[in-house]
Amino acid sequence: MPHESIIEPVDDTSLDLGAQLLAQGKVVAFPTETVYGLGADATSDQAVAAIYRVKNRPTFNPLIIHVAQPAQARKLVEIDPLAQTLIDLFWPGPLTLVLPRRADSPLSLLASAGLDTIAIRMPDHPVALALIARADRPIAAPSANRSGSISPTTALHVEQSLGNDVDLILDGGPCRVGVESTILDLSGQTPTLLRPGGISVEQIELALGRPIALGGNDGAVKAPGMLASHYAPTRLLRLNQSSAQPGEALLAFGPGFPDATLNLSASGDLTEAAAHLFAMMRELDSPPYTVINVTPIPEHRLGRAINDRLRRAAAPK
Ligand code: AMP
Ligand code: MG
């Protein structure tokens, strides 16, 4: 059977289809001014888990949340006057701001890999903005390529990398900027560059009237998954357990654990397990539990990313 392309030219019909798919928890590739993004509903753990499944990432890296309006960001993160200044100057555009998650934020915990901070931006591309507005929800979107390959700047690149693992690719032509967004962390004492990108350090320093700190290794790109601030429970976490002592929690995966405190996926579905991981770790990292025991999780597909995170959480602190 001939392969039916899932690339669609942008018009009212394809934008509506994209918005509909996003509302159903599906993944949709769309152009931004930087690179093509692999988008999903940022308020749904299940939808965000589908992004990780399609990308085949071995780790859970927090994702950038895309909004259609600054007002939409206001409902998700805390925006102080400094952030407001940069938003006024550089949005829409390739500047991602890392800001504190609002206490009442509806964003998926998986989207921020369990962090209390959120990376957020408003892209400067009519197709991205129209799609997000029609979907009427924030969209989590990493670059639309398989993990380990280079970022796509055309719809064809996306199709070559992801094939029909993605439900729709909106073709908005080649991306204008072609490099990723600049990431600036505003969640600490000093504004800190986490990744250089489409907006220069000089532009930011001029806007703020003061120097910013260069994060990572002297401002080098922070390797994915290498964030020092990754969420880890404060309780002792034990891997590859089959039971728990009184007072301890058992976090299970798969059938056969009727006594589990919580089960990441009783049916053994790795995407469902990924969707539940951070919320369940948080829930068990509280009284009355003293220790979190975790049953074995298969080391393939999304299981690799789940195990990666669990191993970090279990490492001595
Ligand atoms: P990508 O989506 O592939 O462009 O990569 C997103 C980048 O944003 C990764 O390098 C993440 O480490 C970074 N990032 C996302 N959320 C946060 C956050 N809350 N704090 C710090 N960095 C973040
Ligand atoms: Mg990427």
Side-chain angles (χ1 to χ4, degrees), residues 55 57 142-143 145 151 180:
K55 279 199 69 106
R57 266 189 181 166
S143 53
N145 54 286
S151 295
E180 270 93 351

Short mmCIF file of all heavy atoms in Angstrom, two decimals, residues 55 57 142-143 145 151 180, ligand 2:
data_model
loop_
_atom_site.label_atom_id
_atom_site.label_comp_id
_atom_site.label_asym_id
_atom_site.label_seq_id
_atom_site.Cartn_x
_atom_site.Cartn_y
_atom_site.Cartn_z
N LYS A 55 9.23 10.60 20.62
CA LYS A 55 10.63 11.04 20.49
C LYS A 55 11.61 9.94 20.85
O LYS A 55 12.76 9.97 20.45
CB LYS A 55 10.89 12.26 21.38
CG LYS A 55 10.44 13.56 20.76
CD LYS A 55 11.09 14.76 21.40
CE LYS A 55 12.55 14.91 21.14
NZ LYS A 55 12.91 15.96 20.20
N ARG A 57 12.90 9.34 23.75
CA ARG A 57 13.96 9.89 24.59
C ARG A 57 14.29 8.95 25.73
O ARG A 57 13.39 8.40 26.37
CB ARG A 57 13.49 11.21 25.21
CG ARG A 57 13.87 12.42 24.44
CD ARG A 57 13.56 13.67 25.23
NE ARG A 57 13.92 14.86 24.46
CZ ARG A 57 13.52 16.08 24.78
NH1 ARG A 57 12.76 16.28 25.82
NH2 ARG A 57 13.91 17.10 24.04
N PRO A 142 8.77 19.90 22.36
CA PRO A 142 10.20 19.84 22.06
C PRO A 142 10.36 19.80 20.54
O PRO A 142 9.35 19.83 19.82
CB PRO A 142 10.62 18.50 22.68
CG PRO A 142 9.41 17.64 22.54
CD PRO A 142 8.20 18.57 22.61
N SER A 143 11.59 19.75 20.06
CA SER A 143 11.79 19.68 18.61
C SER A 143 11.22 18.36 18.08
O SER A 143 11.27 17.33 18.75
CB SER A 143 13.26 19.84 18.28
OG SER A 143 14.03 18.91 19.01
N ASN A 145 11.80 15.75 16.31
CA ASN A 145 12.70 14.74 15.75
C ASN A 145 12.88 13.63 16.76
O ASN A 145 12.65 13.82 17.95
CB ASN A 145 14.07 15.37 15.44
CG ASN A 145 14.65 16.07 16.65
OD1 ASN A 145 14.21 17.14 17.02
ND2 ASN A 145 15.62 15.45 17.28
N SER A 151 17.56 18.82 14.83
CA SER A 151 16.26 19.47 14.85
C SER A 151 15.76 19.75 13.44
O SER A 151 16.52 20.17 12.58
CB SER A 151 16.35 20.77 15.64
OG SER A 151 16.65 20.48 16.98
N GLU A 180 17.44 26.88 18.09
CA GLU A 180 16.47 26.84 19.17
C GLU A 180 16.36 28.19 19.88
O GLU A 180 17.18 29.09 19.68
CB GLU A 180 16.87 25.75 20.16
CG GLU A 180 16.28 24.38 19.84
CD GLU A 180 17.17 23.49 18.98
OE1 GLU A 180 18.21 24.00 18.48
OE2 GLU A 180 16.81 22.30 18.82
MG MG B 2 15.75 19.06 20.45
#
